[in-house]
Amino acid sequence: MRLRALLETEVLGLRLLGGEDELDRTVRGVMTTDLRDPSRYLSGGELVLTGLAWRRDSADSEPFVRILASAGVAGLAAGEAELGDIPDDLVSACVRNRLPLFAVNEDVAFATITEYVVRQVSGERAGDLAAVVDRHRRLMTSGPAGGGPDVVLDLLTTDLDLRAWVLSPTGRQIAGAGEPLAPGICAALAGEHLAAVRTGRRGPHRISIQGITYSLFPIRGHGRGAAGPAVRDVRETVLSDWLLAVEADAGDWPAERLDLLQGVTQLIAVERDRRDAARTVRRRLAQEVLELVQTGAAPAEIAARLRVAAPVLLPGLGAAPHWQVVVARVDWENGEIPGGPVAQSLLEEILVDPSVSGPEPSDRIAVAHTGDEAIALVPLPSLPGDAGEDKGPDSALHADELLAVVREPLAAGLADDGRLTLGVSAAVHSAEGLRGALEEARHARRVAAARPGRVCAAGHHELASHVLLLPFVPDDVRRAFTARLLDPLRDYDRRHRAELIPTLEAFLDCDGSWTRCATRLHLHVNTLRYRVGRIEQLTARDLSRLEDKLDFFLALRMS
């Protein structure tokens, strides 16, 4: 397909801004990006779609366009929704680099252009597989009439004899043709994919397991209409993107077949975006309940919101369920990547039973995020007794089981600069207990954060040795304990205005991360190290030791 054909298709809303002499270029695919350097994902011949979120000033246009031109892309289409008119510096850069430039009307979604290009390119090159793109609209439907990704995967099997599966980043099977993969194989495939993405290797990635070679294709959906802002760093999405695993070695495939599989991933990405958008209602319910709980709203008001949430999360349930709260946090060492949205997307996946295939179980999960923390409101059906009485939840979550299957792939995605910590509350059956459950889950997460490892979890039962016993400590013991640890710091703060107590609180809240703590306090890391050193000198404690961290934490809680 030629660029000229796209320009002549009115429904796409493209307007030529430069490169009229280059309109006979062949379009081999389409890619949406707002990365400042997308070269690792380009293979040549793409129509690149961008919302211009990478552009901070006029000097950014030339390097971006030069990267695209060097990669051999067919053309660039820039959306007008972000900045209005396309900047002159981008037009000039495209002219200098002989790169055709189109403006996309703000009323036209990038998904519309993506679907059109995929349909045309795949139809031209796939031969018998034209049925894949002819039936692409089934990916956009819901309910029994829609086929979702399984439709395309079935056609890959029947027309190309390719067995393929769509997997989540935790290794859960979203869709597949034929027999499902064993959980261990799914986890290994997801781990290999995440490790390859973190090291910047260009897909498809290949791996052999038990003598069988699999090729892994990333599924990305970050264009306009996706559930979130433009992505500038791979860590923002590495723990949430799906992948397509094909039982074949794509190393010797011709370009046409690779293009077809790339087109398939783009169609599945459209479905992923639609399903992410469908989570809006559940996320809003969780956010509303969370805000009521944190602001100390009356239990009756919270209970009213829970009654609204229960039918959405557990349709057909007669009795009011029990609830559990799960708190998760994803931290990156440089502190520049917001952890809340990443943890939210990850919790929505982790809380689904990894042995259950398909996307539907995620429709029972409501997750909000605030700051760097994600909070899940998990409904638990009650088990009725012989006379209909409530016997409590029959499917309570356990911290040590939640991460058992997903720890390996997630550790690969977190690499050496990320960390996931998770805390689980006990089950509660009323609005009055929800606030305590939230605090319980947060304290459990802090216990997990004090442990070594990239992926750690703790449950409410692990709090019995300290947090839950604090109210029962005699006042004179509390005063003596806190005075011994904190009075030297308070006296020093009064004399020198050194803010050692706020520094200690922030350091513990940041789980001992120097970079995040310095960022929160707006300090240089060396200044923070000096303050922590002074704290250790005045108290004869070592903040690198778990025992001393725990003592300080308890002292601050009891003061």
Side-chain angles (χ1 to χ4, degrees):
M1 182 179 63
R2 308 289 181 180
L3 282 175
R4 190 180 306 280
L6 293 176
L7 186 62
E8 295 170 352
T9 305
E10 293 184 1
V11 70
L12 300 183
L14 298 178
R15 189 173 74 258
L16 185 64
L17 300 181
E20 186 174 0
D21 295 337
E22 306 291 334
L23 291 180
D24 287 328
R25 291 188 180 187
T26 300
V27 179
R28 298 177 55 197
V30 61
M31 174 192 179
T32 299
T33 184
D34 271 305
L35 294 174
R36 297 170 69 84
D37 180 4
S39 56
R40 71 176 68 175
Y41 305 117
L42 298 171
S43 56
E46 298 93 346
L47 174 66
V48 174
L49 308 176
T50 180
L52 299 178
W54 51 266
R55 183 186 179 278
R56 297 171 186 170
D57 55 49
S58 59
D60 292 335
S61 293
E62 181 67 29
F64 180 78
V65 172
R66 190 179 298 122
I67 288 171
L68 300 187
S70 299
V73 305
L76 173 64
E80 295 178 321
E82 183 78 14
L83 302 177
D85 293 337
I86 306 303
D88 292 338
D89 48 90
L90 179 60
V91 177
S92 299
C94 288
V95 171
R96 285 191 296 272
N97 290 275
R98 299 180 62 83
L99 182 66
L101 174 64
F102 303 90
V104 182
N105 189 284
E106 63 180 354
D107 295 329
V108 178
F110 280 5
T112 299
I113 300 174
T114 298
E115 293 171 29
Y116 182 87
V117 173
V118 170
R119 183 169 64 250
Q120 296 300 317
V121 172
S122 299
E124 292 171 1
R125 296 184 174 180
D128 292 340
L129 270 179
V132 173
V133 289
D134 289 339
R135 294 168 63 183
H136 77 284
R137 293 191 181 277
R138 294 191 63 183
L139 291 174
M140 301 296 292
T141 61
S142 59
D150 295 282
V151 173
V152 173
L153 300 187
D154 286 340
L155 289 173
L156 286 178
T157 300
T158 57
D159 290 10
L160 283 185
D161 196 25
L162 290 176
R163 297 179 67 206
W165 302 265
V166 176
L167 305 179
S168 78
T170 63
R172 186 173 65 88
Q173 183 171 314
I174 305 295
E179 290 295 320
L181 291 172
I185 294 178
C186 289
L189 293 176
E192 170 64 20
H193 167 73
L194 292 175
V197 172
R198 287 306 312 275
T199 55
R201 286 153 48 196
R202 180 178 294 181
H205 318 301
R206 289 174 289 165
I207 179 176
S208 292
I209 301 177
Q210 300 176 2
I212 299 175
T213 299
Y214 299 88
S215 297
L216 311 177
F217 296 80
I219 298 173
R220 301 184 178 92
H222 308 304
R224 192 184 333 155
V231 176
R232 296 184 176 87
D233 192 302
V234 68
R235 289 172 295 180
E236 295 182 44
T237 58
V238 66
L239 298 177
S240 59
D241 282 341
W242 290 352
L243 68 137
L244 177 67
V246 181
E247 188 182 295
D249 187 344
D252 56 355
W253 280 6
E256 290 78 7
R257 179 167 285 201
L258 287 173
D259 286 347
L260 172 65
L261 267 294
Q262 293 292 351
V264 168
T265 65
Q266 290 167 352
L267 290 178
I268 297 173
V270 173
E271 168 67 2
R272 173 65 192 272
D273 290 344
R274 185 194 67 80
R275 288 176 175 168
D276 281 348
R279 290 177 172 174
T280 303
V281 173
R282 298 188 298 280
R283 288 177 172 178
R284 186 171 64 247
L285 284 173
Q287 196 72 45
E288 290 174 354
V289 173
L290 175 63
E291 290 174 358
L292 290 174
V293 170
Q294 294 191 127
T295 56
E301 188 177 359
I302 299 174
R305 296 308 302 160
L306 290 177
R307 284 195 295 271
V308 172
V312 175
L313 301 178
L314 289 172
L317 185 67
H322 291 69
W323 302 90
Q324 270 184 288
V325 175
V326 181
V327 173
R329 182 164 175 153
V330 174
D331 295 303
W332 305 102
E333 286 186 0
N334 63 8
E336 297 177 356
I337 307 301
V342 179
Q344 180 182 44
S345 178
L346 200 53
L347 258 190
E348 289 172 332
E349 177 59 38
I350 289 175
L351 294 176
V352 178
D353 185 346
S355 65
V356 177
S357 298
E360 290 74 17
S362 65
D363 293 344
R364 305 294 180 262
I365 308 300
V367 186
H369 77 81
T370 173
D372 288 330
E373 172 180 83
I375 302 169
L377 185 66
V378 183
L380 302 173
S382 298
L383 187 64
D386 295 336
E389 73 274 13
D390 182 1
K391 285 190 174 182
D394 64 342
S395 55
L397 302 173
H398 300 280
D400 53 351
E401 297 174 0
L402 276 178
L403 299 179
V405 178
V406 303
R407 181 174 277 108
E408 180 181 347
L410 289 183
L414 292 163
D416 58 357
D417 61 347
R419 195 152 190 257
L420 167 67
T421 51
L422 184 146
V424 182
S425 78
V428 297
H429 68 278
S430 66
E432 289 87 347
L434 207 53
R435 186 170 187 177
L438 174 59
E439 290 305 312
E440 197 172 56
R442 282 175 166 161
H443 288 315
R445 193 206 64 79
R446 289 179 182 275
V447 171
R451 296 170 174 166
R454 290 289 169 189
V455 182
C456 298
H460 60 92
H461 60 282
E462 300 179 65
L463 303 179
S465 61
H466 44 86
V467 175
L468 296 185
L469 293 180
L470 291 183
F472 304 100
V473 177
D475 288 343
D476 56 340
V477 175
R478 294 160 67 99
R479 285 192 293 269
F481 182 79
T482 58
R484 185 168 63 252
L485 274 178
L486 302 183
D487 279 0
L489 306 182
R490 290 169 175 153
D491 291 340
Y492 191 90
D493 280 349
R494 279 193 294 269
R495 294 195 309 269
H496 302 282
R497 297 181 179 179
E499 298 187 333
L500 295 185
I501 291 291
T503 300
L504 175 62
E505 291 174 333
F507 188 74
L508 294 176
D509 190 54
C510 292
D511 303 326
S513 169
W514 296 100
T515 304
R516 287 196 293 108
C517 185
T519 300
R520 174 179 295 190
L521 296 175
H522 306 289
L523 296 175
H524 192 279
V525 172
N526 290 340
T527 303
L528 175 61
R529 292 185 184 277
Y530 173 82
R531 288 189 183 181
V532 171
R534 179 64 67 185
I535 292 171
E536 294 174 332
Q537 182 183 34
L538 292 170
T539 61
R541 297 298 186 108
D542 183 354
L543 276 167
S544 67
R545 298 179 67 246
L546 174 59
E547 293 84 353
D548 289 342
K549 283 182 182 178
L550 185 57
D551 282 348
F552 276 123
F553 173 73
L554 293 175
L556 290 169
R557 292 289 298 173
M558 290 190 295
S559 63

